Structure formats: C-alpha cells, structure tokens
Amino acid sequence: MLKSTKNTGLYLLMGLIAVLQLFPLYWLVVSAFKDNSEIIGGVVWALPTEWRFSNFSEAWVSAKVNQYFFNSVSVTLITLLCVLLFASMMAYALTRMRFKYNGLILFILLMGVMVPIHATLIPLFMILKNLGLLSSRLSIILPYIAVNLPIGVYMLSAFLRSMPKELEEAAFIDGCGVVKSFFKVVLPLLKPPLASVAIFVFLAVWNELLMAATFIQKESLRTLPLGLMNFSGQYSISWGPLAAAMVISTLPILLAYVLFSDQMEKSFTAGAILK
Amino acid sequence: MERALSDKKLIALFLVPGLTIFLIFYFVPILMTAYYSFQEWDGINPMAFVGLDNYTKMFTADKSFWKAVWNSVAFLLTGVFVQLPLSFGLALLVSRKMKGRKWFRNIYFFPVVMSTTMVSLLWVKIYDPNIGMLNTLLEAAHLGSWAQAWLGDTKTALLSVLIVTTWHYVGYNMLILFAGIQGISEQYYEAAKLDGAVGWKAVRYITLPLLSDVLRICVVLNVIYALKTFESVYVMTNGGPLHSTTMIALKMFQEAFLKQNFGYGSALAVFMVLECLIIAWVLNKVLTREKIEY
C-alpha cells in the first residue's frame, strides 16, 4: 500500500518534469500550424483550429528552407564521410604501424580536443580568405573535418588497441597487403565505434552555428541554423512559418533519435568521458 | 607484416590526408591566434606589433570585458550548483527500476540533441512579450503583473538565458550520471541495507562517493561549457541589453568580425583558452581524491 502511493508520487513527479521538458516543443509544433491571430489570441495549449500546412510550404519554398536543408545535408554528409575515413586511417596508423612520432601526433590531436574552436576562428577566416574558399562550401567543410577528427581518432584508437590482431595477421598470411587488409578486415570490425563517431559528428555538424556564421558569406550556401537565424530576423512578425521551419530542421534529429537512441546515448557518454 | 607496417610510404598514405587538414585548419590557427594577440590589425593593413597592449586594454579599459567575465561566472555557478544537482536528481529517478523509465530518460535527454540555435530561437518566441507563451501562461494563472519582456530587460535577461541553458542541457549530465549509477554493483546496496542504509542514506553513503569520478567529469564539462557559451547569447540577446548577457566568446566574435579588431579579438580568444585549460586543470587536481574502495 505504502509502496504504491510512493510509486504514484514518483510517477507524478517524473511526469511533471517530462511536461516541463516537452511543453515548449509541443508549443513549437502546434504553433507551426497556427497563424498569428491564433497564436496571440488563442489558448496556448490548444490544437490549431485548422491545420495550416501552408506554413510548411511557405517555410520550405519562400523562406528557402529547402535550400538550407540541402546545404546542411551535403555539408554534413561530406564531413561525416571524410572524418570517418581519415580518422580510421589515422587510428590504424597510430595503433598498428611502427614509426617514431606516434606520441607527438597524439599530443597534437589532443590539443584539438582541449582547445575550443573559438581559438581558431580569426586565423581560419584569414586562411580561408587567402585560399579563396570563402565563397565555397569547403569554407566550412574543411574546418568541420579538422574539428571533429581528433575525437574520432581517439575513440577509434581506443577500440583498435583493445582489438586482437589475429584477423589482420591471418589476412596478411592470405596475401593481403596493408591497404587491402585495412579496407577488407579492419574497417568492417570498426563498425561499433564508427557508429558512435558518426552520431557525434552528425549532431555536431548539423547543429553548428559559430563557424557557419563566420565563414559562410554567400546566402545560397547557408546551413539550417544560420538560415533560420536570419529567417527569424526577417520574419519576426509571422511566427507560424518560422516554427514550421524549425520543426523541419529538427525532424532529422528526431528521426535519428527515435531510430538510434541507445547508440546516441552511448556516443554521448563516451564523448563526455573522453573530454 | 612487420616490414609492411613500417613502410614509410604506407604510413604517410594513412596519416597525411587527416593530419594535413587538421594541421592547416585547426592546429596552425591556434598558434596564429596567439601571435595575432600581440598585434594591432584590421585584417587589411599590415599588422603592427603592440606587445601586451591588447591584454592591458582587456583588463583595464574594456568595461564590458569584466561584465563578460562576471556573466561567465554566473553561467558556471548555475551549471555546477543548479543544473548538476537537478541532473543528479533526474539520474536517481530514472535509475529506479520502474516501468517506463526508459521513456522518461529519453524525454529528459531529447532537448540535448537539438541545436542550441533552434532551442534559443524557440525560447526567444516563448519569452516574446507579444506572441510568447510565457506571458500568456502567466496571465492565465492570474499572474499577469509578472508578464514582461524577459530578454529585453537588464534585470531579467541573464536569468532568462540561464533558464534556457539549464532546460536544454539538464539531460546531458543526467545521462552521464545515469551511466555511472548503472555501473555501481547491486551488492553495495544490499550490504548497506543490512546496515540499515536505505533511501537517502544509501544515496549519501554509496551512490555519491562511488560516483565521485563521474561527478568530477560533469563538473569539469559544465564549467568548460559555461565558459565557452556563445550560441545561446548570440541568438537570444546578442549580448544585450547593455552588455547584461555578453560572454567572452561573443565579444571575441563581435570585436573581430564586426569591428575588425582582429588583434584584440585574438587576445580575447587566448584569454578564453587559458581560462578553460587552467580551470579544468585546477578542478581536476582539487576534485581528485583518493579512490574510495569498499
């Protein structure tokens, strides 16, 4: 009897906190279907009287969210592929190959984990300007790769160090060279830590604003966070379409979270402990 | 195999692509920032070496710098003394073996994966005096007199921003602490039960001491996140009103890319890095005590 009252109390408390965490998001979603008069005059938690999908089409086409979305997707994908490939190659070299400057390279990479990106911004701007990259997508892709490589290398090398070498040795005996055994044997075995790194990089890049705001000079290259920020400045009066744009840009993250929530939690905990 | 793995050409092939990008687009810029911080430079005309002038200006002449330092302290204290205890409470809640605990954990954690830009834009609208839901809710609760422009008033702006970051990140520490709590063996609790330690006593004498390493990680993470804060104030207030929510990172951004003071902006960046590294190092020293073993 006592136990069940206690449990009900706990459920109430947890439910209340869940409402606190979810209510702003609920408000965002219902606002995305309302017009201003309904948002200002209506009841905050009420469902829209009419589901205005036009807000979404207005955001998607007139506010160019389609373009920002495409930019975010392409920047994220290219960064992701490069980080995964380069980080696993580096991790492989650092854990399996024999050379002198192993420790030095790990130390230099550690600087990348420790020193915040803010400390690179001003010179990076100059470097990108001098390379003539400021009007291209590469102006954020290259820094994004650089920022995310160290954490990838550290996570992957930790995994490789604990992985037995027998399979690679067997591949050598079968006549595979280093390159072939890396792609055929090592990479497939790296799948679990690669998934962690991929989630980490996906979220970091998809959500990044500081570098995007600094290096993206062309309107047509804006990623979602930057595009939405400017959108909110221009259309400060109509909240519905902006809410729709925000819902659209959060959907991929929600989708990823629903599909891979366990993996995501693992990758966040691993990333935290590394820092 | 040994010989193949010491082949210089192969080693280079594996290291060069990643390392080149990292060196050019991260490592070298860090060193250049340090160099720029001793120069006066508008990005176009030649640099002029000015020694420590930028740092003197920062510590003595620039009043909003101290405002930014004070705000960082407010972020830091909120992170450690408000957000972390809340996260710990949540972690304890979701660690109880009850039905649906995974759902609750997922709900509490979800805001963490959303972008700071999105969360900040959302809260700008929540706080908005005309369309925002906060004032509407207050009026519905007959607290209409409390309604105001939350982000537009020097008295409430900082607090309003702090509430948003706490809302956004409370699930992050919860998750780390939850993982830590899962790692504590049942045996300890069973042994404690025999000694009469249940409920809060078990938390005080078993969970907390055994989590000390994880708690240390959380403290350091929160402090560094607080000191680096940029996006939320950039989006929500742009540092205003009257610098009441400005941060070092935001000042650096504004000095460099709005006022073209690249030298001074770099000095601010150097200050921020040193501040982060030194505080993290000190915290790690101070908070590392002898390992507790039972």
Side-chain angles (χ1 to χ4, degrees), chain A residues 186-220:
Chain A
V186 178
L187 267 190
L189 289 171
L190 278 178
K191 260 185 202 150
L194 280 174
S196 287
V197 177
I199 283 170
F200 206 85
V201 176
F202 162 65
L203 288 173
V205 174
W206 188 265
N207 292 338
E208 208 282 335
L209 177 67
L210 178 55
M211 284 184 156
T214 314
F215 303 142
I216 297 181
Q217 310 278 312
K218 265 169 81 178
E219 210 211 310
S220 61

Side-chain angles (χ1 to χ4, degrees), chain B residues 103-124:
Chain B
W103 276 95
F104 285 111
R105 194 174 83 224
N106 285 342
I107 290 171
Y108 301 159
F109 184 69
F110 180 68
V112 178
V113 298
M114 287 179 69
S115 81
T116 312
T117 314
M118 222 69 71
V119 167
S120 305
L121 284 174
L122 170 60
W123 280 84
V124 167

Side-chain angles (χ1 to χ4, degrees), chain A residues 11 14 21 115 119 207 265, chain B residues 26 33 99 105-106 108 115:
Chain A
Y11 273 118
M14 290 169 85
Q21 289 302 91
V115 177
N207 292 338
E265 293 186 351
Chain B
Y26 212 102
T33 300
K99 258 194 186 151
R105 194 174 83 224
N106 285 342
Y108 301 159
S115 81

Side-chain angles (χ1 to χ4, degrees), chain B residues 43-63:
Chain B
I44 300 159
N45 295 306
M47 289 184 209
F49 179 79
V50 291
L52 291 171
D53 277 10
N54 286 325
Y55 293 94
T56 328
K57 177 181 166 192
M58 186 159 86
F59 290 122
T60 57
D62 186 351
K63 288 213 180 65

Side-chain angles (χ1 to χ4, degrees), chain A residues 6 10-11 13-15 17-18 20-25 27-28 39-40 44-45 86 89-90 92-93 96-99 105 108-109 111-112 114-129 131 142-143 145-147 149-150 169 172 178-179 182 203 207-210 213-214 225 228-229 232 236 239 242 246 249-250 253-254 257 261-262 264-265 268-269 272-273 275, chain B residues 1-2 4-6 10-11 13-15 17-19 21-30 32-33 36 41 43-44 90 93-94 96 98-102 104-118 121-123 125-126 130-133 136-137 140 167 170 172 175-176 179 217 221 225 228 230-231 234-235 249 252-253 256-257 262 265-266 269 272-273 276-277:
Chain A
K6 196 180 161 197
L10 277 176
Y11 273 118
L13 177 65
M14 290 169 85
I17 301 169
L20 276 176
Q21 289 302 91
L22 286 182
F23 193 69
L25 302 175
W27 185 65
L28 172 71
I39 295 171
I40 297 168
V44 171
W45 51 83
F86 297 159
M89 284 162 63
M90 287 177 79
Y92 181 75
R96 295 290 196 265
M97 292 176 160
R98 272 142 240 266
F99 60 104
I105 291 176
I108 288 176
L109 288 173
M111 298 266 290
M114 309 260 293
V115 177
I117 61 165
H118 311 66
T120 64
L121 226 51
I122 297 169
L124 255 182
F125 182 81
M126 291 300 158
I127 291 173
L128 292 165
K129 193 172 148 191
L131 291 175
L142 289 168
I145 298 174
V147 176
L149 261 178
E169 276 161 10
F172 272 107
V178 173
V179 178
F182 171 76
L203 288 173
N207 292 338
E208 208 282 335
L209 177 67
L210 178 55
T214 314
L228 284 198
M229 222 189 110
S232 104
S236 52
W239 167 216
L242 174 62
M246 287 163 69
S249 56
T250 310
I253 290 186
L254 181 65
Y257 191 60
S261 71
D262 290 343
M264 252 189 207
E265 293 186 351
F268 261 84
T269 340
I273 282 155
K275 293 200 167 172
Chain B
M1 178 169 159
E2 293 295 311
L5 284 173
S6 351
L10 268 178
I11 294 170
L13 178 75
F14 274 76
L15 283 174
L19 204 56
I21 294 181
F22 179 75
L23 288 177
I24 298 178
F25 296 97
Y26 212 102
F27 187 72
V28 173
I30 295 174
M32 285 166 79
T33 300
Y36 286 175
W41 191 32
I44 300 159
L90 288 184
L93 281 175
V94 296
R96 298 180 66 93
M98 24 200 300
K99 258 194 186 151
R101 63 174 189 160
K102 186 161 186 280
F104 285 111
R105 194 174 83 224
N106 285 342
I107 290 171
Y108 301 159
F109 184 69
F110 180 68
V112 178
V113 298
M114 287 179 69
S115 81
T116 312
T117 314
M118 222 69 71
L121 284 174
L122 170 60
W123 280 84
K125 296 297 170 190
I126 290 175
N130 299 316
I131 62 162
M133 74 168 194
T136 323
L137 280 177
W167 177 85
V170 71
Y172 189 19
L175 190 74
I176 301 169
I217 291 170
L221 270 180
Y225 269 63
K228 292 196 303 191
F230 168 81
E231 268 113 335
Y234 179 57
V235 176
M252 176 212 72
F253 180 82
F257 299 108
F262 288 100
S266 300
M272 209 185 89
V273 172
C276 283
L277 292 180

